Amino acid sequence: MDGPAAAGKTTTSLRLAERFGFSYLESGRAYRVLAYEALRSDIEPDDPSAMIELCARMVRNNLSVLLGLDRYDTGELRSAEVGRAVSLVARISELRLRVTNCLRAWAKGNSRSIVEGRDIGTVVFPAAPLKFYLTAKPETRAARRVAQENSGSYKQVLDDVLRRDHADMTRSVSPLKPAPDAIIIDTTDLTVDQVIDRMSAHCREAGLVEA
Ligand code: DC
């Protein structure tokens, strides 16, 4: 499941995972964990060698910590400070390679799973049998985020969505784009239930059975 920020990937992935009995992994958490730890340790988030060293240290300790499966509070990983740093972190190609390896290692033990991110269908799991690319107009994504989180003004949130779109889509390594075989769903005029129903139909067509 790929797509731009605030397109509804997490909400729909979780609902779909529940419906079909899949495990779920939010790959952005690994990049956020790295950005958070860099800020805490006074490491520049755009310093490739320091970031790679930090990542190697964390992976040696425990893969699930890097993946953000325990220990971290979602609020601290979603702070504005981490949000700014993570765009820099996600541009480091060697670091992306290491995160990709961790995601693949996790998936080995969770073969029936939904993984959410930006480059899942294009780079991390190019052979995934089913790929969704979820998108919506930036104004719609910002309005939904404001309603959901009840924080920040619409203008601030829209500026952040546009900044993140630019960073995700223009980065030279693994830029955000749909895989050639991805099913693209524009959710601008759809409710969550309608999105889930469309995705479920594709899952059933692919031979998956609801749990
Ligand atoms: O999905 P998110 O907003 O929590 O992602 C956080 C950051 O990580 C965002 O800047 C995009 C980046 N990211 C990425 O580059 N590749 C992924 N597979 C997932 C997230």
Side-chain angles (χ1 to χ4, degrees), residues 75-171:
E76 62 193 8
L77 294 182
R78 295 217 155 261
S79 72
E81 214 188 351
V82 170
R84 280 187 295 273
V86 74
S87 296
L88 301 173
V89 166
R91 286 213 299 245
I92 303 172
S93 58
E94 173 69 24
L95 198 68
R96 298 196 67 87
L97 208 63
R98 286 167 188 248
V99 170
T100 294
N101 287 338
C102 292
L103 299 172
R104 289 178 180 156
W106 177 87
K108 278 218 166 91
N110 293 274
S111 56
R112 283 175 56 85
S113 55
I114 301 185
V115 183
E116 173 206 322
R118 303 291 192 286
D119 62 342
I120 305 305
T122 49
V123 175
V124 184
F125 300 114
L130 203 49
K131 298 175 187 173
F132 290 111
Y133 185 91
L134 213 60
T135 186
K137 276 193 194 134
E139 293 76 12
T140 308
R141 289 187 274 132
R144 285 180 189 157
R145 187 72 15 129
V146 170
Q148 186 186 25
E149 293 184 0
N150 203 12
S151 65
S153 73
Y154 169 74
K155 169 87 177 69
Q156 262 173 349
V157 176
L158 178 61
D159 284 349
D160 186 52
V161 162
L162 293 172
R163 178 191 67 75
R164 292 171 66 188
D165 281 2
H166 182 76
D168 289 343
M169 291 173 188
T170 61
R171 100 179 140 226

Side-chain angles (χ1 to χ4, degrees), residues 32-48:
R32 287 180 181 273
V33 163
L34 286 164
Y36 175 81
E37 288 296 342
L39 293 171
R40 272 204 343 173
S41 326
D42 278 331
I43 293 171
E44 294 295 334
D46 59 352
D47 177 344

